[in-house]
Amino acid sequence: MQSNHLVGYSPRMPRPRFATLDEARRQAILEAAADEFARAGYEAASYNQIIARAGVSKGAMYYYFDGKADLYVTTLDAMVQRLLERVGTIGEFDDAATFWIAVRDLCVRVLAFLAEEPRLAGLARGLMQPSDEAVAATLASYIAATEVYTSALIRRGQALGAVRDDLPLPLLASLLSGLGEAFDRWLLENYASIAPETLARVPDLILDLFVRTAAPLDRVIELAPPAPARKEP
């Protein structure tokens, strides 16, 4: 997944009453929602099932949230905030090679979080084909924030000669964000069935795509070769 600290992204806030709940009750609701949305997807998820598992009344749930879309977006935002806190900022770099290595390491940390918290894949799949206005707005916010972050990173890479400067910055940022989004969609839709050896190669695959798209055409970026794919017995 391509996101890091999403500059310009503001999490959707539930009704203020939800914030007045004690931490244990808030977490019980978010955990029950994460389980159900990840298991069934946004459309098929049962709001009543979430309410039952969270141990609250239907009236109380509507007191805290406007409905299923509001709860879904709040749950997804909470998970994304956990991801951003765990992944942290991109590492240090001082030349073209270490710039791209830092990008790869960021991908490694995202995948490590996904392995620890596989519900994120199920939750995020609800964004792939949003049928609700609130969900669609959340997706648009993620995409816009990612492009802002990508633009800033491109500028830093260009200063080191790691990123091409023959394309307008907005176009290059859009291309790279779109590439990352396409890879994210593939990863989220297929995560449960991807073999471990293939998952281990994902950071190198992403890095190769990004370098081929964004590195200067007249410059070879020397990187460590990707790990060879393990042959099936």
Side-chain angles (χ1 to χ4, degrees):
M1 300 181 66
Q2 77 271 26
S3 54
N4 189 18
H5 284 305
L6 298 182
V7 180
Y9 166 66
S10 298
R12 176 184 171 90
M13 299 302 294
R15 291 186 174 186
R17 301 169 185 137
F18 184 64
T20 66
L21 280 174
D22 62 82
E23 179 66 18
R25 182 61 62 87
R26 287 200 306 271
Q27 286 304 312
I29 292 172
L30 293 175
E31 287 295 308
D35 287 344
E36 178 65 9
F37 285 127
R39 181 194 67 81
Y42 171 72
E43 292 292 342
S46 168
Y47 201 54
N48 289 335
Q49 181 69 18
I50 294 171
I51 290 170
R53 294 187 62 176
V56 298
S57 68
K58 183 174 291 189
M61 189 67 88
Y62 280 104
Y63 185 76
Y64 302 131
F65 301 96
D66 290 334
K68 187 166 80 167
D70 193 19
L71 176 59
Y72 169 74
V73 171
T74 301
T75 304
L76 179 61
D77 273 334
M79 188 70 74
V80 169
Q81 291 306 307
R82 285 180 54 199
L83 166 68
L84 298 181
E85 290 168 5
R86 181 70 62 84
V87 169
T89 59
I90 194 165
E92 296 296 324
F93 49 81
D94 52 21
D95 57 24
T98 54
F99 172 86
W100 287 113
I101 289 171
V103 172
R104 180 192 183 279
D105 289 345
L106 185 63
C107 295
V108 169
R109 296 198 298 276
V110 170
L111 285 171
F113 179 86
L114 197 57
E116 295 173 12
E117 184 48 277
R119 291 181 303 178
L120 175 58
L123 272 170
R125 278 196 295 270
L127 289 174
M128 298 299 100
Q129 293 180 324
S131 58
D132 183 277
E133 183 178 345
V135 178
T138 298
L139 175 60
S141 180
Y142 284 147
I143 292 173
T146 298
E147 289 195 9
V148 170
Y149 176 80
T150 302
S151 295
L153 193 58
I154 286 172
R155 292 190 188 95
R156 296 175 66 186
Q158 288 174 332
L160 296 172
V163 178
R164 62 195 299 172
D165 58 7
D166 60 326
L167 293 175
L169 179 60
L171 173 59
L172 186 55
S174 182
L175 287 171
L176 293 177
S177 296
L179 181 61
E181 182 187 349
F183 209 106
D184 284 354
R185 286 178 179 270
W186 171 82
L187 183 64
L188 294 172
E189 290 171 358
N190 298 280
Y191 184 77
S193 62
I194 299 175
E197 57 269 23
T198 301
L199 278 175
R201 295 181 59 238
V202 163
D204 292 314
L205 295 173
I206 295 175
L207 184 66
D208 181 66
L209 287 171
F210 281 2
V211 169
R212 288 174 184 269
T213 303
L217 300 179
D218 59 349
R219 182 169 182 178
V220 176
I221 306 295
E222 296 293 341
L223 298 170
R230 190 174 70 180
K231 294 183 178 180
E232 297 292 337

